[in-house]
Amino acid sequence: MTEPLSAQGSSAATVLSAPSGRPVRRFTGYHMTAILVTFFGVVIAVNLLMANLAISTFGGEVVENSYVASQHFNRWLDSAKADRALGWKADFTRDVSGAVSADLRDANGNPLTQARVSAVAEHPLGLRDDEKVVLHETVPGRYTAALPAGRWRLRLQVSAKGQTWHTIGDLP
């Protein structure tokens, strides 16, 4: 059975001792400071980690009404699956004059010719309004349009060979 803490001696400055005979350490302001600094340090570290993961992964979509958008989600997945099944590819470039080009290839690597190509250019941070552009074929498989300088994300829609394909790409 353990003994309760007892005061040793009868002077005004008494020292408490534990049942083992060891002196009990007092809880001071330094202990509380260490606990608070450690706690908030962990909270801040976790917040920084989560913010970094949020920025480096999927950026999400901005929609007017999330409920209505959720009703179309399965259709969007089916559309993306059909786009992948086509196997078409797009490489985006920008020349010195600022014109943007999309080099389009089919699943066999052949240029996609005689296609109707349109795009919506979005500023990644939403600092500029979206711009609708129509790209025209300049050489077989290469479609070009003028676009103001800056960083843009293109939502491309390509209609060729009786199929419609969608892709998104960032301009260099």
Side-chain angles (χ1 to χ4, degrees), residues 84-103:
R84 275 193 308 276
L86 285 173
W88 294 358
K89 304 278 185 235
D91 291 317
F92 298 101
T93 56
R94 186 184 284 266
D95 64 18
V96 293
S97 69
V100 61
S101 296
D103 292 319

Side-chain angles (χ1 to χ4, degrees), residues 24-38:
V24 175
R25 293 180 50 150
R26 300 183 74 204
F27 187 78
T28 65
Y30 292 114
H31 295 112
M32 191 65 207
T33 301
I35 289 170
L36 286 174
V37 167
T38 302

Side-chain angles (χ1 to χ4, degrees), residues 9 13 19 21-22 30 39 47 56 61-62 65 77 135 142 171:
R22 202 178 51 164
Y30 292 114
F39 172 77
N47 283 341
S56 65
E61 291 289 325
V62 177
N65 184 327
L77 290 179
L135 290 87
R142 174 169 283 193
L171 291 178

Side-chain angles (χ1 to χ4, degrees), residues 90-152:
D91 291 317
F92 298 101
T93 56
R94 186 184 284 266
D95 64 18
V96 293
S97 69
V100 61
S101 296
D103 292 319
L104 304 178
R105 305 267 175 210
D106 65 13
N108 298 322
N110 299 320
L112 274 175
T113 58
Q114 300 176 352
R116 286 190 330 266
V117 182
S118 61
V120 175
E122 302 171 337
H123 196 271
L125 300 176
L127 298 177
R128 293 185 179 176
D129 291 335
D130 295 350
E131 296 209 19
K132 293 181 181 182
V133 293
V134 176
L135 290 87
H136 301 283
E137 191 168 16
T138 54
V139 296
R142 174 169 283 193
Y143 297 83
T144 305
L147 191 64
R151 187 168 173 205
W152 295 96

Side-chain angles (χ1 to χ4, degrees), residues 3-49:
E3 298 176 17
L5 296 177
S6 60
Q8 303 289 330
S10 59
S11 66
T14 60
V15 176
L16 296 177
S17 63
S20 64
R22 202 178 51 164
V24 175
R25 293 180 50 150
R26 300 183 74 204
F27 187 78
T28 65
Y30 292 114
H31 295 112
M32 191 65 207
T33 301
I35 289 170
L36 286 174
V37 167
T38 302
F39 172 77
F40 285 107
V42 169
V43 168
I44 290 169
V46 169
N47 283 341
L48 290 173
L49 172 69

